[in-house]
Amino acid sequence: MTTRGPSAPGLLITRDWVDYHSDHHLKSIISGNSAAPLTQTHSQQSEYSPDSELSPHRTSSSNQRKRSVLGLHPQAPVDGEHVEAPQSSLLWSRIRIVMREPFAEFWGTAVMVMFGNGSVAQVLLSAGQTAAPGGNGFGAYQSINWGWGLGAMLGLYVAGDSGAYLNPAITLSNCIYRQLPWRRFPMYFVAQILGGFVGSGVVYVNYISAIDWFEGGKMRTVPPAENATAAIFCTYPQPFLTKTSQFFSEFIASTLLMFVIFALKDPSNNGVPKSDKWFPLCLFFLIFGLGSCFGWQTGYAINIARDFSPRLMSYAVGYGHEVWSAGGYYFWIPMVAPFLGCAFGGFLYDIFIYTGPSPINSPWLGLKLLMPSNAMRVRREHLKREKKEGIV
């Protein structure tokens, strides 16, 4: 999730790690003319010295080439003193430097799904437990919203170096409206999908004994079957919903998600905190609110990485083809609706509120950029910028 950064003619540049650690910024850090990163504490600031600062040439040339091929900025978001440490020559250290952002997206998404799926598992599997405080299980529906909200917030902290998108639909919208480099989308997409798969798998392994007990054996069932547990991992619609209602429920939740995220990250919006330190907490309330207000009908998937990946995992561990056919083959809706909803939410925010660089704020609402002559010009400018930054 990115904010607007400096712009060049014909280019829309995001304020992700690439811009924050541009050569100009690195030089200003070394010269002592720049503020410390937002994630740095006051005690850490006092220990800062030019000798331990980030160096614009800290990533080796071979690693720079590998990162450039992947569409990443040649300089990895790693402190110079860490790159120059003896362990930096080890094979895994080199891999970690090259793949730092995809690894961050993978684990950020995995953490989010573990907290989210874990909250559903605890609420569902403990239902009716008289030993619980209150005598009726360990949690209620709002516990699930807490779990997903906390998971998203903590996932953002884990994936800070990559931009912490954690959602392919949000990643795509940032590519469209905030000029996140398109070359990153496939790699981030794969990392997020795999993170969701692994995160849900961890939850399944953790609760496998409770699932056996709840289902009454080794069987695995899908809603609306009695004692079904497949909904721990992915969403299933209420049986009374039409296909149109299923789609609109996910579409409107995804639209709100992207609209509010762009509002929270808009530097010209005087209604939000100016420090990015508050963004994860704001996102927690956003996810909690979406679940509280729009979660009943379809489970507010709003993210293919948190629905398709766990659905695939549940199919792999024995829940059967019903994970795809349930709800009249509902599975495709949380795969498609989040992309369309987030794109529409970004469009609404930019056309009515956002005043910064965006395709919407260009002639013909950006449609002119799709004309062959303009598209080629923008492409040349984009390649020129990438070559200048070493992303070739």
Side-chain angles (χ1 to χ4, degrees):
M1 301 168 189
T2 59
T3 57
R4 177 175 58 84
S7 62
L11 296 176
L12 309 175
I13 306 176
T14 57
R15 189 193 169 201
D16 58 6
W17 189 89
V18 172
D19 299 293
Y20 193 81
H21 293 79
S22 62
D23 288 344
H24 173 75
H25 185 72
L26 287 166
K27 291 175 182 177
S28 65
I29 290 178
I30 295 172
S31 64
N33 296 325
S34 176
L38 291 173
T39 54
Q40 190 180 42
T41 64
H42 290 293
S43 61
Q44 289 173 317
Q45 292 177 29
S46 63
E47 297 172 359
Y48 249 49
S49 66
D51 294 335
S52 63
E53 290 293 358
L54 302 175
S55 165
H57 304 293
R58 65 194 177 282
T59 304
S60 68
S61 58
S62 62
N63 286 340
Q64 287 186 40
R65 287 192 296 271
K66 294 171 185 174
R67 288 177 56 82
S68 296
V69 169
L70 295 173
L72 301 172
H73 193 276
Q75 299 296 340
V78 183
D79 288 344
E81 60 184 16
H82 294 169
V83 176
E84 296 167 2
Q87 67 269 21
S88 63
S89 61
L90 300 175
L91 175 61
W92 182 249
S93 295
R94 298 197 302 271
I95 294 173
R96 185 171 54 206
I97 289 174
V98 171
M99 298 291 292
R100 185 171 177 85
E101 293 94 320
F103 283 168
E105 287 293 321
F106 171 89
W107 282 111
T109 307
V111 166
M112 177 183 68
V113 171
M114 279 190 276
F115 274 86
N117 282 174
S119 66
V120 180
Q122 180 161 297
V123 170
L124 176 64
L125 300 177
S126 70
Q129 291 291 300
T130 57
N136 189 28
F138 290 84
Y141 177 69
Q142 290 294 21
S143 302
I144 296 173
N145 296 328
W146 275 93
W148 278 111
L150 289 170
M153 181 179 72
L154 297 175
L156 255 67
Y157 284 120
V158 170
D161 281 334
S162 65
Y165 300 95
L166 312 185
N167 183 337
I170 291 176
T171 309
L172 180 67
S173 293
N174 276 274
C175 290
I176 296 172
Y177 300 110
R178 296 297 181 267
Q179 202 63 21
L180 178 71
W182 281 96
R183 292 178 64 180
R184 295 190 194 179
F185 178 76
M187 184 170 46
Y188 279 18
F189 179 88
V190 172
Q192 292 157 357
I193 293 295
L194 292 177
F197 187 94
V198 170
S200 60
V202 170
V203 173
Y204 178 77
V205 171
N206 183 65
Y207 282 100
I208 189 169
S209 296
I211 291 173
D212 289 342
W213 170 78
F214 190 85
E215 294 246 28
K218 297 295 183 180
M219 67 184 71
R220 295 291 182 263
T221 55
V222 174
E226 187 178 2
N227 294 334
T229 57
I232 291 173
F233 307 105
C234 53
T235 61
Y236 293 88
Q238 294 296 329
F240 55 80
L241 291 176
T242 64
K243 272 290 176 287
T244 302
S245 296
Q246 292 173 1
F247 185 89
F248 187 77
S249 179
E250 285 298 312
F251 180 85
I252 189 63
S254 301
T255 298
L256 283 169
L257 175 70
M258 197 71 255
F259 186 90
V260 175
I261 285 175
F262 272 4
L264 292 172
K265 302 297 286 186
D266 185 352
S268 64
N269 184 355
N270 293 320
V272 298
K274 296 305 179 185
S275 172
D276 277 349
K277 289 180 179 179
W278 293 102
F279 179 73
L281 181 62
C282 294
L283 186 69
F284 161 78
F285 285 113
L286 173 57
I287 300 299
F288 185 90
L290 287 174
S292 299
C293 304
F294 296 93
W296 170 48
Q297 295 191 117
T298 57
Y300 73 115
I302 60 176
N303 184 348
I304 185 177
R306 84 69 126 202
D307 191 86
F308 170 75
S309 298
R311 194 181 300 272
L312 183 62
M313 187 284 304
S314 63
Y315 175 76
V317 298
Y319 279 88
H321 73 278
E322 288 85 2
V323 301
W324 311 110
S325 61
Y329 290 91
Y330 164 80
F331 78 92
W332 67 268
I333 288 179
M335 295 177 67
V336 175
F339 284 103
L340 298 178
C342 284
F344 186 62
F347 172 81
L348 288 179
Y349 188 81
D350 280 14
I351 196 170
F352 286 107
I353 299 176
Y354 189 60
T355 57
S358 167
I360 303 303
N361 295 330
S362 61
W364 303 358
L365 299 180
L367 295 178
K368 192 173 182 179
L369 297 175
L370 299 178
M371 297 178 63
S373 58
N374 288 309
M376 290 298 296
R377 176 181 59 80
V378 172
R379 178 61 178 165
R380 285 194 299 269
E381 291 174 346
H382 185 68
L383 289 174
K384 184 178 179 181
R385 169 178 164 254
E386 286 192 337
K387 184 174 291 186
K388 182 178 180 181
E389 293 185 351
I391 309 176
V392 294

